[in-house]
Amino acid sequence: MTELNPLKVVVFGLGYLGATHAACMAELGHEVLGIEVDQLRREKIADGHLPFYEPGLSELLRKHLASGTLRVSDSYAEAAEWGEVFFIAVGTPQKKGESRADLQYVDSVVEQIVPLMNRDAIILGKSTVPVGTCRRLTDRIDQLANDGVHVELAWNPEFLREGHAISDTLRPDRLVLGCDPGGRAEKVTYQVYSRIIDEGVPFLVMDTASAEIVKAAANSFLATKISFINAVAEVCEASGADIKQVADAIGYDDRIGSKFLNAGLGFGGGCLPKDIRAFQARAGELGASSAVGLLREVDFINMNRRTRMVEIARRACDGNLLGKRVAVLGASFKPESDDVRDSPALNVAGQMQLQGASVVVYDPEAIDNSAKVFPTLDYAPTAQEACAGADLVMVLTEWKEFSRLNPTQLGSEVRKKAVVDGRMCLDRRAWELAGWNYLC
Ligand SMILES: NC(=O)c1ccc[n+]([C@@H]2O[C@H](COP(=O)([O-])OP(=O)(O)OC[C@H]3O[C@@H](n4cnc5c(N)ncnc54)[C@H](O)[C@@H]3O)[C@@H](O)[C@H]2O)c1
């Protein structure tokens, strides 16, 4: 067992990734300073309030804020003076009007922190970046670093899932590090994660380009799996086969596995869509055309699911959404999250409203975020209130609360018993027995 040697860890960016990482680094026994530029977000986090929903994270933050092992600031000077290991956890959104990733936030961290560093340091990138970024920034760091100061950059991509962020950080499937041979990054990263590596988490060390591609390839594979099963679902629908039975049966094969084989409304969120587009764009720049073609199709199939869902809704409303009242259950891009970035559920709700439906949305956690993005939709505080007088109920995010709904009780709230199960998470038989027209 390696003896724990607490480090002074700085985390730049306290969003979903950074706030989780900062709290988990403190949980692993390190001293942590979180640097956040957004004043409101910074103040909330410093008070122990998360600006987003992630199970268990507020409690973990509060525990380490109270003990003083975790602090929050906006001062790069303080970070440079105090820190030993610096994690970059800022956003890498899709560039406006392009498929590529916008790296301005990652670049800005490097531009600001490196000139302030007066002793050797290790910077570990966690943000998802296109292959070649670490090499480019290493060259830039060599230009920015003060004389006699060696700043080493390595990449340690993050694989956490929102809704499972703490367990994915403290018990990940694997840790990946991309670094140059002969530097200190491997030893220091080992020290950062020694507790979980000792517990058996595989620690995979490789060159920086490979580490960057591991993250992009992992997300692209997951997206491909979802679009694959949705493509098969179209064949099932056209032939009268049952996609649920098909997916269950092929999932028994170890080589395939049953996860990510749920046909439905497809993927969204702040990661998969922008990550497959960024990977596609980078593959194109590198002349790797097979990856470009494959990922374009994966993206196309996925976006098509949203249009298809609206068609199913229109069919359920006798061919016309105009004047119909539709209850949309679920707004976050997935359950156990309040993240509505590129949410398929909200996208469908918006399309139906454009076709004349009066749409009322309910979500257990994501109503505030949804109202900011789609202020013209109506929102209800409970599923029952959203469904009152509805001509159609649509379940578009698979929160457990929805699979537990009582179809008999809900049947007395609606005007017409028609339900679209966009995530195939309802008990079809129970809903049909309660007199509902069930569509999926
Ligand atoms: N959210 C996830 O589930 C997840 C999982 C794995 C990887 N990632 C990757 O992690 C990165 C961050 O994602 P996120 O979802 O946490 O993003 P986010 O937008 O929620 O958070 C980014 C934070 O960085 C802050 N920031 C921006 N510039 C800054 C700067 N110069 N200094 C300090 N703070 C700054 C922003 O104010 C914001 O609070 C992305 O590359 C993403 O692809 C995210």
Side-chain angles (χ1 to χ4, degrees):
M1 171 83 64
T2 320
E3 199 186 323
L4 177 71
N5 199 349
L7 290 160
K8 291 179 173 168
V9 171
V10 175
V11 179
F12 294 105
L14 297 177
Y16 285 89
L17 165 62
T20 307
H21 196 67
C24 289
M25 288 299 100
E27 184 68 7
L28 288 182
H30 303 296
E31 283 183 75
V32 184
L33 174 63
I35 302 290
E36 170 57 58
V37 287
D38 181 321
Q39 187 184 351
L40 193 63
R41 175 165 287 217
R42 191 173 61 245
E43 287 172 358
K44 273 191 158 183
I45 292 182
D47 278 347
H49 297 293
L50 269 188
F52 51 84
Y53 174 72
E54 179 62 42
L57 187 55
S58 306
E59 293 78 359
L60 198 65
L61 265 181
R62 282 192 210 127
K63 172 178 158 190
H64 293 294
L65 286 165
S67 71
T69 44
L70 170 61
R71 292 177 297 124
V72 177
S73 168
D74 63 345
S75 169
Y76 271 66
E78 184 186 358
E81 170 64 28
W82 179 83
E84 293 171 318
V85 186
F86 299 80
F87 283 99
I88 302 179
V90 296
T92 49
Q94 189 174 338
K95 240 183 178 172
K96 288 208 166 59
E98 293 182 44
S99 296
R100 283 190 294 164
D102 184 348
L103 297 175
Q104 61 168 308
Y105 307 103
V106 172
D107 289 2
S108 134
V109 172
V110 168
E111 294 287 334
Q112 291 180 74
I113 194 68
V114 176
L116 297 171
M117 290 172 156
N118 288 318
R119 28 196 174 88
D120 294 358
I122 304 288
I123 304 181
L124 294 174
K126 288 210 80 63
S127 305
T128 304
V129 293
V131 58
T133 304
C134 189
R135 176 93 347 261
R136 174 178 66 77
L137 288 174
T138 297
D139 293 344
R140 183 66 186 137
I141 286 172
D142 290 343
Q143 295 167 349
L144 293 167
N146 290 312
D147 287 346
V149 177
H150 181 60
V151 180
E152 190 180 334
L153 177 67
W155 223 264
N156 169 219
E158 179 57 56
F159 302 93
L160 69 79
R161 298 160 298 166
E162 286 174 25
H164 305 267
I166 297 175
S167 55
D168 285 351
T169 306
L170 295 176
R171 283 182 297 283
D173 298 330
R174 74 302 207 190
L175 288 161
V176 171
L177 178 71
C179 60
D180 289 333
R184 285 171 57 235
E186 181 177 346
K187 192 163 164 268
V188 172
T189 309
Y190 187 94
Q191 212 177 322
V192 170
Y193 295 111
S194 61
R195 209 175 92 189
I196 56 178
I197 295 172
D198 283 349
E199 285 168 6
V201 171
F203 180 42
L204 313 176
V205 182
M206 57 195 74
D207 61 89
T208 59
S210 301
E212 289 163 332
I213 291 187
V214 169
K215 174 64 191 175
N219 272 2
S220 299
F221 183 78
L222 294 174
T224 303
K225 213 171 165 190
I226 297 171
S227 281
F228 170 79
I229 202 65
N230 279 330
V232 175
E234 282 180 26
V235 184
C236 287
E237 194 180 353
S239 59
D242 181 338
I243 183 60
K244 214 166 167 38
Q245 288 184 342
V246 171
D248 284 351
I250 64 174
Y252 273 96
D253 187 328
D254 276 352
R255 295 166 305 172
I256 297 172
S258 57
K259 290 183 179 159
F260 275 66
L261 272 190
N262 293 336
L265 183 50
F267 59 84
C271 288
L272 282 196
K274 63 123 176 133
D275 287 352
I276 62 165
R277 287 171 200 151
F279 194 33
Q280 191 185 318
R282 188 70 184 121
E285 285 165 7
L286 294 167
S289 57
S290 302
V292 178
L294 173 71
L295 294 173
R296 191 183 296 135
E297 200 56 30
V298 166
D299 201 0
F300 176 76
I301 292 170
N302 188 56
M303 295 312 283
N304 225 7
R305 300 307 290 176
R306 304 176 184 189
T307 319
R308 182 84 191 97
M309 200 58 65
V310 177
E311 278 168 24
I312 293 174
R314 203 179 27 237
R315 208 172 64 207
C317 290
D318 307 321
N320 192 352
L321 283 165
L322 193 65
K324 299 286 165 43
R325 187 178 162 94
V326 180
V328 165
L329 303 185
S332 56
F333 85 95
K334 69 171 191 177
E336 298 301 325
S337 171
D338 65 350
D339 196 344
V340 298
R341 291 180 284 188
D342 199 3
S343 161
L346 280 185
N347 186 310
V348 167
Q351 285 189 52
M352 288 189 302
Q353 190 189 40
L354 285 177
Q355 294 190 23
S358 147
V359 182
V360 188
V361 180
Y362 165 72
D363 187 283
E365 294 294 338
I367 290 186
D368 289 350
N369 283 346
S370 306
K372 283 180 208 148
V373 189
F374 279 93
T376 55
L377 293 171
D378 286 328
Y379 295 92
T382 63
Q384 285 69 19
E385 283 167 83
C387 293
D391 296 290
L392 176 66
V393 174
M394 300 184 81
V395 177
L396 300 184
T397 311
E398 64 275 38
W399 285 93
K400 283 207 180 76
E401 178 182 333
F402 302 149
S403 43
R404 292 186 191 130
L405 282 170
N406 181 330
T408 308
Q409 247 171 29
L410 205 66
S412 61
E413 313 271 355
V414 296
R415 186 153 58 199
K416 202 173 150 203
K417 288 197 217 174
V419 62
V420 173
D421 184 1
R423 295 293 182 179
M424 298 185 74
C425 60
L426 303 180
D427 177 348
R428 176 179 194 149
R429 226 177 99 74
W431 284 73
E432 286 180 341
L433 277 175
W436 287 75
N437 176 23
Y438 173 99
L439 297 142
C440 68

